[in-house]
Amino acid sequence: MKQGWRWFGTQDAISLREIRQAGVTDVVTALYERKCGEVWPVGEIRARQAEVRAAGMEWSVVESVPVHESVKLRAPGFETYVENYRQTLRNLAECGIKVVCYNFMPILDWTRSQLDYPLPDGSTVLNFDETQVAAFDLFMLRRPGAEATYGPALCAKAKAWYDAATPAARDAAAKGILLGLPGTVDDLTVEGFRDLLRGYAAIDDATLRANLYAFLNAIAPTCQELGVRMAIHPDDPPRPLFGLPRILSTAADIRQMCQAVPYDCIGLTLCTGSLGGNRANDEVAIFREFAHRVHFVHFRNVVYAEGGTFHESGCHLTGKVDMPRLMRLLLDEEARRGEPIVVRPDHGRLMEIDKGRTCYSGYSYGGRLVGLAELRGLEYGLIHGSDLDGKVCVVTGAAGVLCSVMTEDLLRHGAKVALLDLHGDKASAFARELAAKGLADTLPLAANVLDRASLEAARDAILAKWGRIDILINGAGGNHPKGTCPAEQMTPDAKPEDTFFGLDIEGFEFVNRLNFIGTLLPSQVFAKAMLRDGGAILNISSMAATQPLTKVAAYAAAKASIDNFTRWLATHLAPMGIRVNAIAPGFFITNQNRFLMLEPDGKTLTPRGNKVIAKTPMRKFGQPADLCGAVRYLLSDDASFVTGVVLPIDGGFLAYSGV
Ligand SMILES: NC(=O)c1ccc[n+]([C@@H]2O[C@H](COP(=O)([O-])OP(=O)(O)OC[C@H]3O[C@@H](n4cnc5c(N)ncnc54)[C@H](O)[C@@H]3O)[C@@H](O)[C@H]2O)c1
């Protein structure tokens, strides 16, 4: 992740120097002095950018370019504000700032009832007390129809609270609820709020949604052209509030927006604390489903009290939100797109360290300092906590479709990987590709798995660079058309050359040698370097080994010999602390088999592809990344007592007889 921090410009109680010292690289800010709806001039953007750069950081995300209320309401004259918005995006892009956070929430940017909810250690956090919010709505705002929002039980609790509360307590709740975001200029009064609500009287959910989608579809082509990514902020909290329309509270809302605005540049800010403000939201599932449209991340956590009352957690890692799994997904998404995403620790406790500053819980220094450190530690632990960290791996056929994905995964878990491939240029190109993703602990080498001398030369080069070898993945292998038999079964009318009797022995030998000898020989060469400290070897079998597939006679036989050899070598090397296992991948669409599984349109299944899916209980092909967890397990110390196994990774193909 790129470590971000929201800075409210010169009026912020926290200086850029302090932010820099928190470990931040990316500042998230805006031209707060510009009124909502105005065009941001390039000169002012550059001046703010220069200020951030002078402090050693980059302004990479805007939070926010606010959307004028007339655009939300589609009120007369809104077109001018849409055009102004576009122009601001153009000006930002001209300065190289291309991620924009904003929201489409009517009137209130966020809602809490208490800004100084005390935690046991004396620090304070933001609190959303549903009883107080209901009391405000029912008895201070006196909104017609408010009872229906809350139901009788909550209304009764709200009344009890209101009757017992002192005027000061009521005022404090109202102030908390009506406070605009720090950095914005408006502090609303109850009367002012009532007026604003009247402006939304005629706007229901469907209208606000339509207005949002119309706005986004109007700016999307410009965003696409400029490379600007829009990251809408979800409703905070994502639940009905003061009768206002709420259109970005749930996965269904996000899905609807993504469908209505079919541009990947129009995405969202994954604000885990906001989404967490509704018990029913599953933040992990949301991230998983919309990962490719997450352009900016706010990580924070919430803790629930009774009912729908929650406060912000004293720790960014613990609470309702499953932060470790979200961080894992973030790392996966960053790996997929080959670039980091800006994450800011969202909100934080007001701690002793902030005494004397004019800031409150949420935008404090101490709380966010700790929050960022927690997130950084979690990320570091996920990357380097693996026992593959620092291990030296050799992967043959590393640039292949499946092996390249496994290789990248090993690198992301801290391993150093020698990338061996028959074609040195392919290995080097792959190494460059990895380096561009920040994965530079590689050594690309040309080596033929059927040529001992080239393997020994590779081994010497690896030992010279890293001094040891811990892991070998025998990845090079595959099928060849000459080792296959065109007819699935012998029938009286089959052409003899299409049957077993026409099998090309040289083709058969080639496939057999590539897979079997191509596993045996590298094992002999590289395991020698493991004799001192032990190690792990992983062979690549196939489900064809156990259940021969029609046509691919040589391949199935070769993979069967790999299974047998895996058990033999596991037994043989066990006293030396070298474990030998194999994976048996099911059907993954790769270059070798695409023509067998898919028609030329790349989508329609061939008759053979249909048969495969029909016999796969999970009813889908595997994705190369599906192999990574199993591979890591077999290579890690978690599998320290596991040797000689062949693990199917096949969506159940082997388990199912087809009947
Ligand atoms: N693709 C599948 O669905 C599937 C299923 C089961 C098993 N497998 C097995 O997984 C392994 C990896 O498959 P993949 O899809 O990544 O293969 P791939 O064809 O994409 O890549 C194989 C790589 O090995 C290299 N190579 C070929 N001959 C070599 C040699 N003599 N010495 C060194 N390198 C050589 C190639 O240059 C290529 O980069 C293979 O053993 C394959 O049989 C694949």
Side-chain angles (χ1 to χ4, degrees):
M1 67 177 178
K2 276 191 169 179
Q3 297 172 51
W5 187 287
R6 189 165 191 194
W7 180 59
F8 291 101
T10 38
Q11 59 179 316
D12 199 312
I14 293 142
S15 70
L16 284 172
R17 179 186 282 257
E18 285 171 302
I19 294 171
R20 174 90 173 95
Q21 289 175 5
V24 170
T25 54
D26 291 70
V27 167
V28 176
T29 190
L31 296 188
Y32 296 105
E33 41 302 321
R34 281 276 151 201
K35 281 215 183 84
C36 182
E38 285 182 340
V39 174
W40 294 8
V42 169
E44 285 181 34
I45 299 170
R46 287 211 194 283
R48 178 60 45 84
Q49 195 173 32
E51 209 178 335
V52 172
R53 276 199 188 133
M57 294 169 289
E58 201 54 47
W59 176 12
S60 45
V61 180
V62 180
E63 183 171 349
S64 306
V65 181
V67 180
H68 196 267
E69 288 294 308
S70 73
V71 176
K72 297 179 194 167
L73 295 163
R74 231 166 159 73
F78 78 91
E79 295 92 341
T80 309
Y81 290 108
V82 174
E83 186 41 44
N84 284 359
Y85 205 98
R86 258 196 225 104
Q87 191 54 45
T88 293
L89 295 180
R90 283 190 202 104
N91 293 353
L92 284 163
E94 190 182 322
C95 303
I97 302 168
K98 297 195 172 183
V99 179
V100 175
C101 174
Y102 66 104
N103 72 61
F104 214 75
M105 277 176 268
I107 309 174
L108 293 166
D109 279 354
W110 53 260
T111 304
R112 296 291 184 280
S113 58
Q114 191 182 358
L115 306 180
D116 57 354
Y117 178 84
L119 294 179
D121 64 5
S123 58
T124 58
V125 292
L126 303 176
N127 187 39
F128 181 95
D129 185 319
E130 64 174 359
T131 309
Q132 291 180 22
V133 172
F136 169 80
D137 198 0
L138 291 162
F139 310 115
M140 292 187 249
L141 194 60
R142 293 191 292 282
R143 181 172 63 88
E147 292 80 3
T149 310
Y150 304 106
L154 190 51
C155 286
K157 271 177 81 178
K159 174 141 189 16
W161 179 83
Y162 186 75
D163 289 347
T166 60
R170 292 173 187 171
D171 280 357
K175 187 172 185 312
I177 291 164
L178 293 177
L179 195 88
L181 272 179
T184 58
V185 283
D186 310 316
D187 263 15
L188 287 174
T189 60
V190 173
E191 197 41 55
F193 185 46
R194 225 177 256 134
D195 283 347
L196 289 172
L197 285 181
R198 272 183 215 115
Y200 274 87
I203 305 285
D204 59 6
D205 270 28
T207 311
L208 190 67
R209 269 176 223 274
N211 294 354
L212 169 65
Y213 306 156
F215 165 65
L216 291 176
N217 278 311
I219 63 165
T222 309
C223 294
Q224 205 167 34
E225 188 191 312
L226 299 170
V228 164
R229 286 176 275 184
M230 296 297 295
I232 195 165
H233 193 285
D235 296 333
D236 184 12
R239 54 174 84 193
L241 223 50
F242 310 123
L244 288 166
R246 296 303 251 180
I247 59 167
L248 220 83
S249 291
T250 63
D253 292 336
I254 301 168
R255 199 174 299 123
Q256 194 174 331
M257 181 192 79
C258 291
Q259 282 162 1
V261 192
Y263 296 83
D264 281 354
C265 58
I266 304 296
L268 78 144
T269 295
L270 184 86
C271 179
T272 58
S274 295
L275 292 167
N278 182 331
R279 274 190 199 266
N281 276 341
D282 178 344
E283 303 79 28
V284 170
I286 288 174
F287 196 2
R288 194 172 280 129
E289 181 174 350
F290 306 106
H292 64 296
R293 284 173 92 155
V294 169
H295 300 316
F296 177 39
V297 173
H298 289 174
F299 273 157
R300 73 178 153 88
N301 225 317
V302 293
V303 174
Y304 273 82
E306 200 193 342
T309 293
F310 66 89
H311 62 77
E312 300 197 344
S313 176
C315 169
H316 278 62
L317 307 185
T318 56
K320 187 226 179 215
V321 173
D322 187 346
M323 202 56 80
R325 285 181 73 203
L326 287 166
M327 185 64 86
R328 181 77 264 156
L329 287 177
L330 178 80
L331 294 174
D332 291 348
E333 178 55 20
E334 291 182 332
R336 192 193 65 77
R337 49 175 96 168
E339 61 175 25
I341 297 173
V342 176
V343 176
R344 72 172 180 81
D346 194 20
H347 300 185
R349 290 172 288 157
L350 191 66
M351 300 162 68
E352 221 46 33
I353 190 176
D354 284 308
K355 268 215 169 130
R357 281 182 208 267
T358 43
C359 62
Y360 43 87
S361 312
Y363 289 95
S364 60
Y365 185 54
R368 284 188 289 169
L369 189 68
V370 174
L372 182 58
E374 286 163 349
L375 294 170
R376 196 163 48 215
L378 174 60
E379 183 196 39
Y380 191 90
L382 286 174
I383 296 172
H384 299 284
S386 157
D387 55 29
L388 293 175
D389 193 38
K391 292 264 168 75
V392 176
C393 308
V394 180
V395 182
T396 70
V401 176
L402 299 185
C403 288
S404 57
V405 175
M406 295 184 230
T407 297
E408 187 171 330
D409 184 67
L410 294 177
L411 286 161
R412 290 198 181 280
H413 286 83
K416 306 169 197 293
V417 186
L419 315 171
L420 271 57
D421 207 281
L422 182 61
H423 308 290
D425 51 347
K426 208 172 162 187
S428 299
F430 181 40
R432 283 194 297 276
E433 205 181 293
L434 291 166
K437 296 179 183 180
L439 302 169
D441 253 345
T442 59
L443 178 60
L445 294 166
N448 181 351
V449 290
L450 301 175
D451 175 30
R452 179 184 293 277
S454 78
L455 292 169
E456 286 179 346
R459 184 185 63 196
D460 294 348
I462 297 163
L463 291 174
K465 182 172 170 78
W466 287 316
R468 56 186 295 120
I469 292 172
D470 303 292
I471 286 167
L472 167 66
I473 297 183
N474 282 310
N479 193 24
H480 192 278
K482 284 197 169 162
T484 62
C485 171
E488 286 198 354
Q489 286 185 294
M490 176 93 200
T491 52
D493 55 348
K495 284 193 242 160
E497 65 270 28
D498 285 351
T499 71
F500 166 67
F501 300 101
L503 256 184
D504 179 300
I505 293 302
E506 270 180 28
F508 199 99
E509 273 182 338
F510 173 82
V511 173
N512 202 36
R513 266 180 70 72
L514 174 62
N515 287 281
F516 184 53
I517 303 300
T519 294
L520 184 145
L521 204 53
S523 301
Q524 219 173 26
V525 171
F526 293 106
K528 243 194 194 144
M530 299 178 194
L531 291 173
R532 192 188 62 195
D533 298 329
I537 297 175
L538 187 78
N539 298 329
I540 315 288
S541 175
S542 159
M543 98 295 296
T546 317
Q547 206 166 65
L549 305 177
T550 56
K551 299 191 177 189
V552 294
Y555 184 73
K559 293 299 189 187
S561 48
I562 288 179
D563 283 10
N564 189 285
F565 173 65
T566 298
R567 289 188 279 272
W568 185 88
L569 193 63
T571 307
H572 190 73
L573 292 179
M576 306 307 296
I578 301 174
R579 297 183 299 106
V580 186
N581 292 295
I583 54 167
F587 284 88
F588 294 72
I589 299 292
T590 60
N591 293 333
Q592 296 165 28
N593 64 12
R594 191 178 308 275
F595 70 102
L596 286 171
M597 299 297 147
L598 300 175
E599 299 290 1
D601 67 8
K603 286 186 218 145
T604 316
L605 292 173
T606 59
R608 191 174 172 89
N610 266 315
K611 275 197 205 171
V612 169
I613 295 298
K615 196 185 168 300
T616 304
M618 289 191 180
R619 299 282 181 254
K620 59 179 183 181
F621 294 111
Q623 298 291 329
D626 292 334
L627 300 173
C628 296
V631 166
R632 242 182 291 124
Y633 162 70
L634 288 172
L635 296 176
S636 76
D637 294 345
D638 285 349
S640 59
F641 201 50
V642 179
T643 196
V645 306
V646 181
L647 181 64
I649 308 170
D650 64 355
F653 186 94
L654 270 187
Y656 180 42
S657 69
V659 178

